[in-house]
């Protein structure tokens, strides 16, 4: 068994037992207490069995991902419950010590203070919030598609493209899908936007091209007047799984490229296309993955720029937003709009439009979800269409972005 899983198991079991002490304060029925233990043990044993039967190269999806999600939900329940009870125990210990030192010794203070039912109830109530949210995220949140619409204005947008509509999707991670009806609903929602062009900004699979094959017919139904274009994300290269040989890994990437072509995507590999309308045009560019912090740096912006004028209106597709931060916004070509994904918003956070926008991923990425503007240039970081690892989403829902380009000064 992996060492990290042993450590995690010890923490889990200790905190679950500790939380049981507070649970017993609230529920005196032995059968309810037994049920508490059975559920915790079942979640733990299910994960252990899945890990021990895991085949390297399969990726974190399917039953092992589900087992991990359930285990993590119970772990959060135990941790939050245990932390609140620990704080109460610190107070209980302080009160007991104070009584001893001060010489108070009546029938109520002679013994260690008992756990209070009120505090145990608060602890369980607080712990139930992340527990319930994580379970909801796996049951429904992962397919809770949201259409987010933005209108972006530019001084130099060609007049013919005033009102031009783009639909962006990203991070499909088809290897994690487990509900064809829900995915079909998401595809239909994309088509209902009736955008001029559909742009996909990488991570079609978790690891292998075959993951996309069961879903290819659905994605083939995506339609837009000016076509649909795509780029590669870090997961598309097959770097996070094992391969019998380098040739197999190379063949897998070629299979994925061919599959994207069969679906109808024009895959942009450090190159560009021009979108034309009424005799005017804008440049659409796409680079291979370029990421900071150990992620593949395959993208070649200079190569993609060849044949494009500085005066052209430019839209860049680059999977990782760190590329925009570290390279793109400093480039003298001025990229009007960059479209990225990659972060998923960590699939966990709190968003109340106009009030709160938070996710732990903000500590890793400055630009992690939504539209940002720097140096007169925009980026939209899509929260992702799919999911990976934790088989769900909490607060950060799967996203379909619709961006309308507007020229300033036109009515």
């Amino acid at each position: 068994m992996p060492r990290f899983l042993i450590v995690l198991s010890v923490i889990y079991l200790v905190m679950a037992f500790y939380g049981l002490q507070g649970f017993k304060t609230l529920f005196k029925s032995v059968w309810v207490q037994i049920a508490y233990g059975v559920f915790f043990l079942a979640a733990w044993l299910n994960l252990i069995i899945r890990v021990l039967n895991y085949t390297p190269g399969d990726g974190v999806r399917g039953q092992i991902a589900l087992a991990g999600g359930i285990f993590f939900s119970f772990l959060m329940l135990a941790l939050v419950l245990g932390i609140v009870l620990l704080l109460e125990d610190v107070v209980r210990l302080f009160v007991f010590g104070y009584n001893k030192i001060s010489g108070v010794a009546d029938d109520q203070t002679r013994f260690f203070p008992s756990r209070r039912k009120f505090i145990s109830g608060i602890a369980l109530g607080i712990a139930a919030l992340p527990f319930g949210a994580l379970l909801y995220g796996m049951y429904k949140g992962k397919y809770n598609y949201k259409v987010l619409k933005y209108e972006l204005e530019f001084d130099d947008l060609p007049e013919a493209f005033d009102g031009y509509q783009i639909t962006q999707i990203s991070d499909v991670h088809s290897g994690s899908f487990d509900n064809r009806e829900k995915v079909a609903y998401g595809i239909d929602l994309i088509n209902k936007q009736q955008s001029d062009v559909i742009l996909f900004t990488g991570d079609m699979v978790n690891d292998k091209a075959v993951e996309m094959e069961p879903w290819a017919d659905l994605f083939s139904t995506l339609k837009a007047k000016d076509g649909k274009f795509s780029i590669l994300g870090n997961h598309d290269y097959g770097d996070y799984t094992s391969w019998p040989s380098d040739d197999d890994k190379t063949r897998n990437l070629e299979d994925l490229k061919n599959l994207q072509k069969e679906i109808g995507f024009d895959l942009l590999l450090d190159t560009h296309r021009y979108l034309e309308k009424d005799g005017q045009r804008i440049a659409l560019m796409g680079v291979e993955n370029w990421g900071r912090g150990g992620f593949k740096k395959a993208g070649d912006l200079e190569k993609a720029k060849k044949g494009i004028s500085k005066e052209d209106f430019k839209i860049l597709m680059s999977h990782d937003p760190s590329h925009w931060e570290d390279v793109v916004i400093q480039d003298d070509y001025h990229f009007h709009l960059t479209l990225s994904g990659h972060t998923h918003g960590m699939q966990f956070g709190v968003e109340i439009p106009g009030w709160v926008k938070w996710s732990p991923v903000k500590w890793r990425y400055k630009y992690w979800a939504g539209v940002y503007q720097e140096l007169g240039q925009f980026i939209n970081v899509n929260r992702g269409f799919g999911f990976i690892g934790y088989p769900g989403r909490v607060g950060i829902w799967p996203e379909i972005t619709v961006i309308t380009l507007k020229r300033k000064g036109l009515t």
Side-chain angles (χ1 to χ4, degrees), residues 338-353:
T338 297
L339 302 176
S340 298
H342 182 63
T343 73
H344 297 211
M346 204 173 172
Q347 297 170 210
F348 178 85
V350 179
E351 284 197 88
I352 303 175

Side-chain angles (χ1 to χ4, degrees), residues 52-123:
L52 293 179
N53 288 281
Y54 174 73
T55 301
D58 282 350
V60 182
R61 60 180 183 270
Q63 291 300 315
I64 192 169
L66 181 60
I70 294 173
F71 172 83
F72 184 65
S73 300
F74 276 91
L75 176 62
M76 289 300 295
L77 177 64
L79 281 175
V80 176
L81 182 59
I83 289 171
V84 177
L85 294 177
L86 178 61
L87 293 175
E88 183 196 15
D89 285 347
V90 170
V91 174
R92 292 167 65 203
L93 180 61
F94 176 80
V95 171
F96 178 72
Y98 175 80
N99 289 338
K100 286 293 186 181
I101 294 172
S102 63
V104 177
D106 56 30
D107 290 341
Q108 293 184 340
T109 59
R110 184 178 296 114
F111 303 104
F112 197 80
S114 61
R115 194 178 296 281
R116 287 176 291 178
K117 189 174 182 179
F118 173 71
I119 298 299
S120 294
I122 291 177

Side-chain angles (χ1 to χ4, degrees), residues 152-157 313 336 378 405-408:
L152 303 180
E153 289 189 329
F154 303 88
D155 290 319
D156 54 349
L157 177 72
F313 186 92
H336 298 76
F378 289 97
L405 306 180
K406 300 293 292 183
R407 181 182 173 105
K408 288 183 180 179

Side-chain angles (χ1 to χ4, degrees), residues 142-143 145 174 176-188 211-221 385 387:
K142 60 187 176 184
Y143 295 120
Y145 299 108
S174 54
S176 299
F177 288 152
D178 55 11
N179 189 316
R180 187 174 181 84
E181 182 180 350
K182 296 294 187 181
V183 175
Y185 166 75
I187 296 296
D188 184 57
E211 298 167 5
M212 188 60 187
E213 291 178 0
W215 313 98
D217 60 327
L218 287 179
F219 282 82
S220 295
T221 64
F385 187 83
F387 52 92

Side-chain angles (χ1 to χ4, degrees), residues 37-53:
V38 168
F39 280 118
F40 268 94
L41 286 175
W44 174 64
L45 289 173
N46 184 37
L47 179 66
I48 297 299
I49 292 171
R50 299 297 178 187
V51 170
L52 293 179
N53 288 281

Side-chain angles (χ1 to χ4, degrees), residues 68-353:
I70 294 173
F71 172 83
F72 184 65
S73 300
F74 276 91
L75 176 62
M76 289 300 295
L77 177 64
L79 281 175
V80 176
L81 182 59
I83 289 171
V84 177
L85 294 177
L86 178 61
L87 293 175
E88 183 196 15
D89 285 347
V90 170
V91 174
R92 292 167 65 203
L93 180 61
F94 176 80
V95 171
F96 178 72
Y98 175 80
N99 289 338
K100 286 293 186 181
I101 294 172
S102 63
V104 177
D106 56 30
D107 290 341
Q108 293 184 340
T109 59
R110 184 178 296 114
F111 303 104
F112 197 80
S114 61
R115 194 178 296 281
R116 287 176 291 178
K117 189 174 182 179
F118 173 71
I119 298 299
S120 294
I122 291 177
L124 186 59
I126 295 174
L129 293 176
F131 175 71
L134 288 167
L135 292 180
Y136 173 84
M138 290 187 288
Y139 171 68
K140 191 169 183 179
K142 60 187 176 184
Y143 295 120
N144 187 22
Y145 299 108
K146 301 296 182 183
V147 178
L148 301 184
K149 297 185 177 184
Y150 304 99
E151 190 173 282
L152 303 180
E153 289 189 329
F154 303 88
D155 290 319
D156 54 349
L157 177 72
E159 291 187 13
F161 286 88
D162 181 60
Y164 194 79
Q165 186 169 291
I166 298 165
T167 288
Q168 180 199 0
I169 57 172
S170 192
D171 299 270
V172 164
H173 290 288
S174 54
S176 299
F177 288 152
D178 55 11
N179 189 316
R180 187 174 181 84
E181 182 180 350
K182 296 294 187 181
V183 175
Y185 166 75
I187 296 296
D188 184 57
L189 199 55
I190 294 170
N191 281 331
K192 282 183 177 178
Q193 306 312 308
Q194 297 183 322
S195 290
D196 295 290
V197 67
I198 294 175
L199 305 180
F200 169 60
T201 47
D203 276 2
M204 181 167 280
V205 298
N206 294 347
D207 299 295
K208 299 178 179 180
V210 294
E211 298 167 5
M212 188 60 187
E213 291 178 0
W215 313 98
D217 60 327
L218 287 179
F219 282 82
S220 295
T221 64
L222 289 173
K223 298 190 185 310
K225 178 173 61 68
D226 290 341
K228 48 191 183 185
F229 301 83
S230 64
I231 57 172
L232 296 176
N234 55 299
H235 278 268
D236 293 324
Y237 296 90
D239 289 342
Y240 309 125
T241 189
S242 58
W243 298 96
S245 68
D246 290 340
D247 287 342
D248 288 290
K249 183 179 179 182
T250 300
R251 190 177 305 113
N252 173 75
L253 182 56
E254 290 305 311
D255 288 344
L256 182 61
K257 292 177 181 178
N258 291 331
L259 185 57
Q260 292 211 26
K261 183 177 180 180
E262 292 171 12
I263 291 172
F265 282 108
D266 185 353
L267 180 61
L268 304 183
L269 302 172
D270 297 332
T271 188
H272 68 272
R273 304 284 186 266
Y274 276 105
L275 302 175
E276 299 189 7
K277 186 176 182 181
D278 298 337
Q280 297 181 322
R281 64 183 189 174
I282 60 177
L284 175 64
M285 307 167 61
V287 294
E288 294 199 49
N289 191 79
W290 191 104
R292 183 203 305 146
F295 289 106
K296 181 184 288 291
K297 285 182 168 64
D300 188 338
L301 187 61
E302 293 303 313
K303 183 178 178 182
K305 286 161 53 177
K306 288 182 178 178
I308 290 179
S309 167
K310 283 187 177 182
E311 287 69 39
D312 285 329
F313 186 92
K314 295 172 285 294
I315 298 174
L316 172 68
M317 295 194 293
S318 181
H319 179 70
D320 192 318
S322 65
H323 187 214
W324 187 72
E325 181 181 1
D326 292 354
V327 177
V328 175
I329 58 175
Q330 306 299 333
D331 193 277
D332 63 355
Y333 255 56
H334 186 87
F335 296 89
H336 298 76
L337 173 62
T338 297
L339 302 176
S340 298
H342 182 63
T343 73
H344 297 211
M346 204 173 172
Q347 297 170 210
F348 178 85
V350 179
E351 284 197 88
I352 303 175

